[in-house]
Amino acid sequence: QVQLVESGGGLVQPGGSLRLSCATSGFTFSSYGMSWYRQAPGKERELVATITRAGADTNYADSVKGRFTISRDNAKNTVYLQMNSLKPEDTAVYVCNLRRLGLAYWGQGTQVTVSS
């Protein structure tokens, strides 16, 4: 079965960096685009970044453009989110997403807290 397991979250000061990972299994990773979403308390889920199956094309929410970078390693079946210049408003649960054959799959999420 499809599994998405995020890691790498934590507490970081404003201006700091974190690298999130999403390890996947149960499907042919290299055949699908992947996405990162986030959800802050009391807010709707927000699409943060997407990457095509070969990694050639990426897209970002305006709120993270220039600070976050999505990448993938198809040999390791893993997608990453490098987050730099973090701001308090980046505080959220970050979740990995796969859309495959008309279904959406989600990981359990990893908490990112940006605070001094």
Side-chain angles (χ1 to χ4, degrees):
Q1 69 278 23
V2 172
Q3 288 193 320
L4 309 174
V5 180
E6 301 93 338
S7 62
L11 173 64
V12 62
Q13 292 187 342
S17 297
L18 282 175
R19 188 196 196 203
L20 307 184
S21 299
C22 174
T24 75
S25 62
F27 66 103
T28 305
F29 180 74
S30 59
S31 295
Y32 297 92
M34 297 292 297
S35 301
W36 283 97
Y37 284 75
R38 68 184 180 185
Q39 187 160 21
K43 294 189 176 181
E44 291 189 357
R45 184 178 290 167
E46 175 188 19
L47 176 60
V48 175
T50 63
I51 187 166
T52 53
R53 55 188 180 178
D57 292 305
T58 58
N59 283 286
Y60 300 92
D62 287 344
S63 57
V64 307
K65 209 169 285 185
R67 299 188 297 121
F68 289 12
T69 302
I70 188 171
S71 63
R72 64 191 295 157
D73 185 335
N74 285 351
K76 295 183 178 180
N77 296 338
T78 301
V79 59
Y80 304 98
L81 187 67
Q82 178 67 44
M83 307 186 296
N84 298 330
S85 302
L86 282 161
K87 305 175 181 180
E89 51 264 44
D90 294 319
T91 295
V93 175
Y94 285 72
V95 186
C96 183
N97 169 260
L98 160 71
R99 294 187 187 276
R100 171 179 176 263
L101 303 176
L103 296 177
Y105 297 87
W106 303 92
Q108 83 289 348
T110 185
Q111 176 70 47
V112 171
T113 303
V114 185
S115 175
S116 54

